[in-house]
Amino acid sequence: MSYERRLLIESAAGVIARHRPPQEEDASWSAPLWDALEEHGFTRVSLPEELGGTGGDLADAAAVARLIGQTAAPVPLADTVLVGGWLLAEAGLPVGDGPCPAAPSTDGARLERRPGGWRLTGSLPRVPWGRFAETVAVLAATPDGWAVVAVDAADLTAAEAVNLAGEPRDDLMVDAEIDAARVALAPPHVDAAALRRRGALARALTIAGSLDQVLALTVAYVREREQFGRPIAKFQAVQQQIAVLAGEVASASAAVDAAVLAEARGAAPWPVAVAKAEASSAAGRAAAIAHQLHGAMGFTDEYALHHLTRRLWAWRDEFGDESEWWIALGREAAAAGPERLWHVVSGAVSPAA
Amino acid sequence: MTAGVETPALLLAVPEFGAAAQELRQDVRRFIDEARAAGDFVPRCDAWLAGFSADFSRELGRRGWIGMTWPARYGGHERTALERFVVAEELLAAGAPVAAHWIADRQSGPQIYRHGTDAQRERFLPDIARGVSYFSLGMSEPDSGSDLASVRTTARRVSGGWRLNGTKVWTSHAHHAHYVTVLCRTADSEPGNRHSGLSIVIVDLAAQGVTVRPIQLITGEHHFNEVTFQDVLVPDDMLLGEEGAGWRLVTAELSLERSGPERFLSTFALLPELMRMLGPEVGDRAAAEIGRLIAELCTLRQMSASVAAMIDAGQDPVAEAALVKDLGTRFEQQVPEVVRLVARADASGEAGATFARLLSEAVLAAPGFTLRGGTTEILRGITARALGVR
Ligand SMILES: Cc1cc2nc3c(=O)[nH]c(=O)nc-3n(C[C@H](O)[C@H](O)[C@H](O)COP(=O)(O)OP(=O)(O)OC[C@H]3O[C@@H](n4cnc5c(N)ncnc54)[C@H](O)[C@@H]3O)c2cc1C
């Protein structure tokens, strides 16, 4: 990791540590934390400066998103930087202040041309932190292709819902005239699949960050907890489970790093599919081991583990669970054919080529 | 990632294959395609242990694909570990017969290069790189498996060298190889240090007093052996490294031994055959199972390559290699288990026969994957220790 990126991460970690609500509150949103992160420019990392971004590259954004997962910070930063903000910026729309998630689904709302503007009607299911969004980025079909809409919060009403970590996943209703300046046709590489891919990348990153911390907590716990007169870390059965856990964490991390690198060089459906599949499947297995090694303590509200594991269980299903991405990979592999299977795996050719 | 909280994870950076490596990859692919078309080999599972071909190894040597990372003056080609990785993975994925030179190229050669005298390097390395000199590993014994430091084979000083006595088992390809590197006791261990007093000697398998007896595998095949040494005279210049440094030598090459693509590709040959049977359109269940294997494979491949990159950077990533081997060998073991449930049971014809052969090869070879080169349990102990849990 470059010196600059390390500095970026350390400073973001400092902001989170100073401004996050106490963990006991189990908050899923913190306006003070968001404002502090925004003030330091972290909520717009990697977005182009001319559109309101604060510069940096995808790897910078990825590192911050991973930190959000590691610290279980209750803000939609990954959703804003990697998904909603990205969507607006790709279409050349400015990215304003405040949380800016994207609507994950593209078929609930209708966008129609009106004299002097547009009209957007319908529902946007399970928008991350929808009720706290300042802007929601919506990808909608038009007769001329995909269009991106920066929907103002004032035009939305929320039916509140949460994921199993308690994070807002609200169904938003919209029926509004949209100013032409808030709508732009998407460039050819931005479509429903691309949006899902970006969402998957964002979740894979926060999962990887959370897994780092699950391992750290678990290692610390088994070294400290004593039974039968010694730390449980001395028991071989415990050591072996730690090693399996480390394997899950390292795999997810490697897959996610590769996806970030590939995505930074251009749309990378294959590596992102691998990353989300690997991160999602590691999430469940790692959570199970961490809870087993923590005993009843890890099962309590007061202990920090569940802030991580409940998010893992939620995130692994969002923007495609492992099964969805496995199927996508399996289909592509079958279409590539037996002779090209290895070429696809070894990355020398892209599966679509 | 460190962010106020120090996380103890073993993290592997994404390796970058350079342009030279990609060009090399294309060369190897062309060669493999031609060799297959010419009928020089038939793909098989576990080809790095079971696919023995002197001709094929010699041809690889001629092309500069053995001893790739060694200096030219020892017959090497001064390539990077990542370039070696590329050649190895291409050959393994194709199920090509690379067993003859595999151990010499991966392990004995690097060991001699790193710890041997100049005379030993000049004597052994050029022939290994030409693909005409093969080595075996004489480590395990009837009573010493995971607890390798307990070996009882002894070498006693005699005038001009050492007299070797003892028995090695599971010695892969000792019946074809020219030399075996033997871990033996050259002195009693010092109290409190059972790793002391061990040395490694190179033994000519044609020497007087060496007996190689086959041990048949559950496949009925003959790959490994029992090798006995009865008063074998080992000349002084066959001691590798210093007297008493045996344990250090054994552990020094572990990251090379454990992290390579042979630790996850042993059953890869099965996958293209499965795809051939299923055709270009697959149902959801088959797609999910295949996709799962592919996701794991892509990740393992990257982790393994990243260990190669760490070796290029002069690091000695022992724990990372242990982790990769644990994950990789479980994966290659899992492949036939997944594939058999996805395949159509009524496969027939030539494709069906090839598939059935590869599947049985994979199933029968699979138990060995998580044993050879350090068992899963031993590897996990290494990983746990690296994380401070032991
Ligand atoms: C195909 C194949 C090829 C091989 N080729 C060679 C070769 O060329 N040269 C060579 O020297 N050897 C070779 N071996 C031997 C290999 O290195 C040994 O099998 C391996 O080191 C394990 O030793 P073992 O088989 O005696 O099992 P053991 O050590 O007896 O282990 C049996 C079981 O007990 C477990 N166990 C042992 N100790 C512990 C512990 N401390 N904690 C937890 N569990 C433990 C093991 O994990 C394993 O599950 C080969 C093996 C195979 C399968």
Side-chain angles (χ1 to χ4, degrees):
Chain A
M1 192 186 286
S2 71
Y3 178 70
E4 286 75 18
R5 188 156 312 132
R6 197 172 288 280
L7 275 189
L8 176 87
I9 295 305
E10 277 170 14
S11 107
V15 172
I16 292 171
R18 280 194 303 281
H19 297 279
R20 67 169 312 149
Q23 201 146 48
E24 313 82 84
E25 281 179 21
D26 196 18
S28 58
W29 162 247
S30 164
L33 176 57
W34 177 271
D35 293 343
L37 287 166
E38 191 153 74
E39 196 176 305
H40 287 83
F42 293 116
T43 59
R44 297 290 183 272
V45 175
S46 83
L47 300 176
E49 288 172 37
E50 65 276 15
L51 295 173
T54 48
D57 58 17
L58 181 68
D60 294 322
V64 178
R66 197 164 162 157
L67 179 67
I68 294 294
Q70 191 191 342
T71 54
V75 282
L77 189 145
D79 284 272
T80 296
V81 171
L82 292 166
V83 198
W86 165 83
L87 187 57
L88 296 187
E90 288 298 309
L93 294 171
V95 188
D97 287 344
C100 176
S105 146
T106 50
D107 46 18
R110 273 163 58 96
L111 182 66
E112 290 161 312
R113 234 182 243 284
R114 284 295 157 93
W118 298 78
R119 184 166 193 86
L120 185 68
T121 50
S123 67
L124 310 169
R126 298 197 67 80
V127 177
W129 284 272
R131 78 195 75 152
F132 300 114
E134 214 55 53
T135 311
V136 173
V138 175
L139 184 66
T142 77
D144 302 326
W146 293 103
V148 177
V149 189
V151 185
D152 190 281
D155 291 331
L156 296 163
T157 48
E160 298 190 357
V162 292
N163 66 14
L164 68 75
E167 293 175 329
R169 295 294 184 262
D170 302 322
D171 294 338
L172 303 181
M173 300 300 295
V174 57
D175 183 359
E177 303 291 331
I178 312 276
D179 191 282
R182 288 181 156 271
V183 181
L185 280 181
H189 65 275
V190 173
D191 56 13
L195 174 61
R196 195 149 185 84
R197 184 186 82 238
R198 294 292 294 203
L201 180 63
R203 287 297 177 273
L205 276 160
T206 53
I207 288 174
S210 181
L211 287 173
D212 290 341
Q213 189 60 12
V214 163
L215 179 62
L217 266 189
T218 309
V219 164
Y221 187 79
V222 301
R223 294 175 62 171
E224 202 176 285
R225 170 72 172 167
E226 295 198 1
Q227 283 295 284
F228 299 96
R230 54 195 146 146
I232 58 172
K234 293 287 169 206
F235 297 109
Q236 198 186 42
V238 169
Q239 295 162 2
Q240 300 264 310
Q241 285 307 298
I242 288 284
V244 177
L245 176 58
E248 299 291 352
V249 175
S251 309
S253 175
V256 168
D257 285 346
V260 170
L261 198 70
E263 180 77 11
R265 291 175 180 164
W270 181 273
V272 174
V274 168
K276 184 59 163 73
E278 287 283 273
S280 287
S281 58
R285 291 193 294 254
I289 294 172
H291 275 288
Q292 185 66 17
L293 293 180
H294 272 88
M297 176 56 83
F299 210 52
T300 61
D301 190 42
E302 132 200 17
Y303 187 80
L305 184 61
H306 74 98
H307 297 295
L308 299 163
T309 54
R310 283 188 301 121
R311 284 175 169 81
L312 287 174
W313 288 319
W315 295 340
R316 65 179 175 169
D317 289 341
E318 295 179 350
F319 292 104
D321 61 16
E322 58 268 46
S323 167
E324 177 180 322
W325 292 108
W326 286 337
I327 290 172
L329 289 168
R331 284 198 194 293
E332 288 221 41
E339 305 304 336
R340 292 181 65 253
L341 179 64
W342 171 251
H343 301 207
V344 169
V345 167
S346 59
V349 296
S350 98
Chain B
M1 168 173 315
T2 56
V5 213
E6 197 67 42
T7 59
L10 297 171
L11 297 182
L12 293 158
V14 184
E16 292 273 15
F17 294 98
Q22 298 300 11
E23 209 173 293
L24 181 60
R25 186 188 296 286
Q26 297 314 322
D27 289 347
V28 180
R29 277 188 188 163
R30 261 192 303 278
F31 163 70
I32 289 170
D33 289 345
E34 283 163 20
R36 273 187 69 173
D40 291 348
F41 76 91
V42 176
R44 62 157 301 157
C45 288
D46 205 21
W48 65 278
L49 189 75
F52 190 98
S53 164
D55 287 344
F56 198 81
S57 289
R58 196 178 311 109
E59 181 57 24
L60 293 180
R62 207 181 61 72
R63 287 170 183 265
W65 294 339
I66 303 177
M68 287 178 65
T69 61
W70 314 337
R73 60 180 289 227
Y74 303 122
H77 305 282
E78 315 201 343
R79 297 279 205 160
T80 64
L82 263 180
E83 287 167 336
R84 179 183 178 277
F85 179 95
V86 165
V87 172
E89 70 168 349
E90 290 295 328
L91 291 166
L92 293 166
V98 293
H101 66 276
W102 196 263
I103 298 299
D105 176 54
R106 177 189 76 190
Q107 213 154 337
S108 318
Q111 202 167 46
I112 291 167
Y113 174 57
R114 219 153 111 167
H115 308 284
T117 61
D118 223 38
Q120 287 172 331
R121 293 174 182 161
E122 276 163 10
R123 172 171 171 192
F124 295 111
L125 297 183
D127 281 348
I128 294 179
R130 285 171 50 226
V132 297
S133 175
Y134 319 141
F135 275 68
S136 284
L137 295 174
M139 313 238 256
S140 308
E141 296 184 4
D143 293 324
S144 302
S146 298
D147 184 11
L148 196 55
S150 69
V151 290
R152 284 195 222 142
T153 296
T154 53
R156 294 277 171 245
R157 264 238 169 270
V158 291
S159 124
W162 304 85
R163 185 181 315 145
L164 187 69
N165 278 287
T167 302
K168 295 291 174 181
V169 284
W170 329 129
T171 322
S172 299
H173 292 301
H175 55 307
H176 296 297
H178 305 96
Y179 300 99
V180 56
T181 51
V182 176
L183 179 69
C184 57
R185 241 185 208 290
T186 42
D188 291 340
S189 60
E190 297 154 14
N193 181 8
R194 51 199 302 270
H195 297 148
S196 60
L198 293 167
S199 300
I200 289 188
V201 290
I202 303 171
V203 179
D204 185 339
L205 279 159
Q208 188 96 56
V210 179
T211 313
V212 178
R213 288 197 314 116
I215 304 176
Q216 237 79 39
L217 294 182
I218 59 175
T219 56
E221 293 170 309
H222 170 204
H223 300 312
F224 58 28
N225 303 275
E226 178 193 76
V227 184
T228 52
F229 307 99
Q230 195 176 10
D231 290 331
V232 176
L233 197 66
V234 181
D236 256 336
D237 62 2
M238 295 287 256
L239 176 71
L240 188 57
E242 283 156 36
E243 181 183 341
W247 190 256
R248 191 162 54 78
L249 264 62
V250 168
T251 48
E253 257 61 55
L254 283 180
S255 47
L256 284 176
E257 179 187 349
R258 288 179 170 157
S259 66
E262 71 269 36
R263 301 304 184 181
F264 57 91
L265 287 176
S266 303
T267 52
F268 179 80
L270 197 47
L271 288 178
E273 287 312 313
L274 174 71
M275 309 307 279
R276 202 183 312 283
M277 271 178 49
L278 295 179
E281 279 174 34
V282 292
D284 277 357
R285 198 179 77 85
E289 292 294 321
I290 293 163
R292 174 157 69 100
L293 292 178
I294 286 175
E296 288 178 15
L297 176 57
C298 289
T299 308
L300 280 165
R301 174 177 173 272
Q302 187 205 321
M303 294 170 84
S304 169
S306 117
V307 174
M310 289 169 89
I311 293 170
D312 274 338
Q315 294 167 266
D316 188 21
V318 173
E320 287 81 358
L323 187 84
V324 169
K325 180 176 182 292
D326 177 10
L327 294 168
T329 53
R330 273 192 288 149
F331 168 79
E332 56 184 14
Q333 214 164 48
Q334 199 55 37
V335 169
E337 296 306 306
V338 172
V339 163
R340 60 180 266 275
L341 295 179
V342 172
R344 295 201 196 92
D346 58 356
S348 60
E350 200 186 318
T354 302
F355 176 78
R357 171 180 63 80
L358 286 163
L359 180 59
S360 61
E361 284 170 3
V363 169
L364 290 173
F369 302 163
T370 48
L371 296 172
R372 61 185 178 195
T375 70
T376 301
E377 291 72 23
I378 297 301
L379 297 170
R380 288 182 183 168
I382 294 169
T383 303
R385 178 180 289 144
L387 294 170
V389 176
R390 245 179 106 172

